[in-house]
Amino acid sequence: METRILKKIVMLFLLVLSIGCSKDDDVPTVVPDVTSLEIQGDWLCELGQTCEDIYQFEFKKDSKISISVENITGQSTVSLDLSLNSGQFAALNLLNDGNISYYGCANQNEEISITNISITETGVYNFSVARDWGLSAGTEGMYSISIISNTPFKDNSMVIENTQAINYERECL
């Protein structure tokens, strides 16, 4: 009888020990740095609305990056904005020589590729992929983003999806 009680106590002790000692305890989740990234996205805009998806990335000062937006569908016309997250929506767009406007030089379903973009300050950057209502047909479309950097960067994932582009103006420089 004492042997059975002792076995039960040992089993209970092992069970409690195994529950309390998970391999994942106190290990922070770390997003690894990457030098290239591909993302699939889509828009579902309201009727009459220029909408955008906004992604966040952490880039390092003096990085050189290249961005491509490809596989565009839905008769969508794309405009882009890459700006330092300074707590404002109308920050200076690195893709448009520091203007506030979106970079927009494409026609419907036309791919965009911009190379040798200079990152002048370490920080979190917002990358907006807008679907221009006035130049697109319908309300939805899909796209693929490719980002390549000469230095490692962090992908902070999508922040906002299918939101109306505030103070939207597009410009081709």
Side-chain angles (χ1 to χ4, degrees):
M1 172 120 163
E2 288 180 22
T3 306
R4 284 194 299 171
I5 293 174
L6 185 57
K7 283 183 181 181
K8 287 183 181 183
I9 290 173
V10 170
M11 293 297 286
L12 182 61
F13 175 74
L14 291 175
L15 178 65
V16 170
L17 186 62
S18 69
I19 291 172
C21 293
S22 167
K23 290 182 182 179
D24 296 332
D25 284 354
D26 301 325
V27 177
T29 302
V30 176
V31 177
D33 290 351
V34 296
T35 55
S36 66
L37 180 68
E38 291 189 18
I39 301 170
Q40 305 297 312
D42 58 47
W43 304 280
L44 182 56
C45 305
E46 296 291 324
L47 200 60
Q49 177 188 77
T50 293
C51 72
E52 64 186 342
D53 292 343
I54 303 172
Y55 301 86
Q56 280 192 339
F57 305 102
E58 291 181 43
F59 293 114
K60 296 175 184 151
K61 180 180 180 177
D62 298 327
S63 296
K64 297 286 187 194
I65 65 170
S66 297
I67 297 174
S68 297
V69 181
E70 303 171 330
N71 304 318
I72 302 159
T73 67
Q75 300 303 308
S76 303
T77 301
V78 177
S79 297
L80 305 175
D81 182 271
L82 177 67
S83 54
L84 187 62
N85 181 6
S86 56
Q88 57 184 341
F89 280 101
L92 302 178
N93 186 354
L94 296 179
L95 307 178
N96 249 4
D97 294 333
N99 292 331
I100 294 175
S101 59
Y102 287 67
Y103 174 84
C105 294
N107 295 313
Q108 288 182 349
N109 293 349
E110 186 176 337
E111 298 178 347
I112 298 175
S113 184
I114 306 169
T115 60
N116 211 26
I117 303 162
S118 295
I119 301 297
T120 58
E121 193 174 327
T122 296
V124 175
Y125 286 78
N126 292 330
F127 178 59
S128 300
V129 182
R131 184 177 190 274
D132 188 299
W133 168 256
L135 299 174
S136 300
T139 58
E140 60 187 78
M142 296 170 59
Y143 58 89
S144 301
I145 300 170
S146 176
I147 299 176
I148 299 171
S149 176
N150 68 335
T151 62
F153 65 96
K154 279 195 172 94
D155 170 19
N156 291 351
S157 297
M158 183 182 293
V159 177
I160 301 173
E161 187 175 26
N162 297 323
T163 189
Q164 181 172 353
I166 307 292
N167 298 323
Y168 176 80
E169 282 184 42
R170 99 184 215 131
E171 187 174 16
C172 182
L173 297 176

